């Protein structure tokens, strides 16, 4: 099977450190009602740290704004932009969560009534809120450390500059989270080569609901029958499946290893079936996990029974 081996490129190594944060934020923002009460603003500050080069672009935007709005010398404007952005960056780690709590409590109903509850609306509100917080912090820092008071028009102009720099961050988040569509010929090759493994997954998924044992129903824990899962382990010995997991709301209920991928390079989705290509985890006790440097495929199938989504996913062994 032609799967690329060897070490990752430098760009791939760089991407895998901040892409998970981007995906967490965007998946939460687009997940709908299930995430309605979970403030995502703290991720905004963390992503700003991981996407450090976006901060450099923000510095350029704000340097120009300071020079134009406050008539600073270019050198002083650059120094001021750097200083106030460092201050707002660290203040944001504290203020973004507070902004999120207050914003959700005070404005959520009004925003939903006016604009709906789509992921676009929520990320737009986050973008505007973060820009307002940054502008307030930075204008205060500008007055405190550079003795520059701002008029109403200057403050509004500086808010526009912050909206522009935050807009770049949101755009980069969307770009980083974008996963190319897997070519049809690659999808066909995977399904043909791993036909026995996929047949096993489909059979297991359809049998899964009838093997659920309810434990502590008040807590929502549901586990599969132990004898049944022992039989699955026996069957897995003859299959090219690296790791496998069964899940049903609210959580994963049975696993054999981690099915996580470090980075997803391509994705195919057709109805209830999803195929993703990425790097697998290698986990050691008391050590940080790291990718193996080999491409693997994660195959996922979902089954909707009376509104409950039963799912099975496996990382196929190359």
């Amino acid at each position: 099977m032609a799967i690329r081996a060897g070490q990752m490129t430098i760009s791939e190594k760089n991407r895998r450190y901040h892409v998970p944060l981007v995906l967490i934020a965007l998946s939460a923002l687009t997940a709908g009602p299930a995430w309605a009460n979970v403030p995502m603003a703290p991720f905004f500050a963390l992503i700003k740290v991981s996407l450090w080069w976006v901060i450099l672009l923000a510095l350029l935007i704000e340097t120009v704004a300071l020079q134009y709005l406050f008539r600073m010398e270019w050198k002083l404007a650059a120094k001021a932009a750097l200083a106030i952005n460092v201050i707002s960056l660290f203040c944001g780690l504290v203020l973004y969560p507070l902004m999120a709590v207050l914003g959700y409590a005070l404005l959520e109903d009004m925003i939903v009534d006016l604009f709906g509850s789509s992921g676009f609306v929520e990320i737009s509100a986050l973008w505007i809120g973060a820009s307002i917080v940054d502008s307030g912090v930075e204008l205060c820092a500008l007055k405190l450390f550079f003795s520059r008071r701002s008029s109403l028009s200057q403050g509004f102009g500086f808010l526009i500059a912050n909206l522009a720099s935050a807009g770049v961050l949101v755009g980069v988040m969307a770009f980083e989270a974008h996963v190319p569509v897997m070519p049809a010929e690659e999808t066909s090759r995977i399904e043909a080569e791993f036909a026995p493994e996929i047949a096993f997954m489909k059979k297991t998924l359809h049998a899964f609901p009838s093997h659920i044992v309810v434990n502590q129903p008040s807590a929502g824990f549901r586990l599969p029958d132990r004898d049944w899962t022992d039989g699955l382990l026996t069957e897995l010995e003859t299959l090219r499946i690296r790791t496998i997991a069964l899940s049903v709301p609210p959580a994963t209920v049975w696993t054999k290893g981690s099915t996580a991928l470090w980075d997803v390079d391509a994705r195919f989705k057709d109805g209830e079936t999803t195929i993703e290509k990425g790097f697998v985890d290698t986990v050691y006790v008391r050590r940080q996990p790291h990718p193996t440097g080999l491409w693997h495929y994660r195959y996922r199938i979902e089954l909707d029974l009376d509104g409950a989504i039963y799912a099975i996913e496996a990382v196929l062994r190359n």
Side-chain angles (χ1 to χ4, degrees):
M1 183 173 182
I3 300 177
R4 194 181 73 178
Q7 297 296 317
M8 293 182 293
T9 65
I10 293 175
S11 62
E12 288 165 347
K13 288 182 178 179
N14 289 336
R15 284 184 64 204
R16 70 178 176 85
Y17 287 108
H18 58 255
V19 166
L21 284 175
V22 174
L23 291 176
I24 290 171
L26 288 184
S27 64
L29 288 168
T30 58
W35 286 86
N37 296 316
V38 180
M40 289 298 105
F43 288 112
F44 207 74
L46 295 175
I47 293 168
K48 285 180 72 172
V49 174
S50 62
L51 295 173
W52 55 268
W53 60 269
V54 177
I55 299 177
L56 297 181
L57 185 55
L59 287 175
L60 177 60
I61 293 173
E62 293 187 23
T63 296
V64 173
L66 288 172
Q67 195 281 329
Y68 177 78
L69 294 171
F70 295 91
R71 303 302 178 189
M72 289 183 170
E73 296 290 337
W74 283 107
K75 185 175 181 179
L76 179 60
K79 182 189 294 185
L82 176 61
I84 64 179
N85 266 277
V86 169
I87 293 171
S88 69
L89 178 63
F90 288 101
C91 287
L93 293 171
V94 176
L95 293 178
Y96 286 160
L98 294 177
M99 174 198 75
V101 171
L102 291 175
Y104 275 77
L106 301 176
L107 302 175
E108 181 183 10
D109 290 341
M110 182 186 71
I111 292 174
V112 170
D113 289 342
L114 291 174
F115 304 105
S117 58
S118 68
F120 175 77
V121 170
E122 189 166 356
I123 199 170
S124 297
L126 174 60
W127 165 49
I128 294 171
S131 299
I132 292 173
V133 169
D134 284 349
S135 296
V137 171
E138 291 173 4
L139 287 174
C140 288
L142 199 63
K143 177 183 176 181
L144 183 62
F145 296 105
F146 294 91
S147 303
R148 298 298 176 110
R149 292 177 175 270
S150 60
S151 65
L152 184 62
S153 60
Q154 287 173 318
F156 181 75
F158 197 68
L159 173 61
I160 297 300
N162 263 286
L163 284 169
S165 60
V168 171
L169 177 61
V170 171
V172 171
M173 286 168 60
F175 177 79
E176 292 286 349
H178 172 70
V179 177
V181 176
M182 186 177 294
E185 56 272 18
E186 186 172 9
T187 302
S188 299
R189 174 173 56 80
I190 295 165
E191 293 192 322
E193 183 150 355
F194 289 98
E197 286 71 23
I198 295 170
F200 164 80
M201 292 177 66
K202 290 179 178 179
K203 180 192 71 173
T204 301
L205 179 60
H206 282 86
F208 181 28
S210 63
H211 289 279
I212 288 292
V213 176
V214 178
N215 293 331
Q216 302 180 18
S218 60
F221 296 129
R222 292 185 284 180
L223 301 175
D225 179 83
R226 178 66 179 271
D227 292 337
W228 181 65
T229 55
D230 287 345
L232 295 180
L233 292 175
T234 301
E235 291 187 68
L236 284 171
E237 293 177 359
T238 63
L239 297 171
R240 291 171 297 171
I241 290 179
R242 187 177 191 273
T243 55
I244 193 168
L246 292 167
S247 61
V248 62
T252 299
V253 297
W254 183 77
T255 63
K256 179 183 178 294
S258 170
T259 57
L261 294 180
W262 272 99
D263 191 13
V264 177
D265 181 74
R267 176 184 294 126
F268 166 82
K269 184 170 179 59
D270 182 17
E272 306 303 324
T273 300
T274 304
I275 308 174
E276 294 178 316
K277 178 182 179 182
F279 292 106
V280 297
D281 285 343
T282 298
V283 182
Y284 297 98
V285 177
R286 296 182 181 178
R287 288 176 56 185
Q288 289 294 321
H290 66 86
T292 62
L294 299 175
W295 289 115
H296 282 73
Y297 293 97
R298 178 170 58 193
Y299 200 97
R300 178 181 175 87
I301 313 172
E302 295 180 353
L303 177 64
D304 187 341
L305 286 180
D306 300 323
I309 305 299
Y310 293 81
I312 183 171
E313 67 179 31
V315 174
L316 305 174
R317 189 185 300 278
N318 59 13

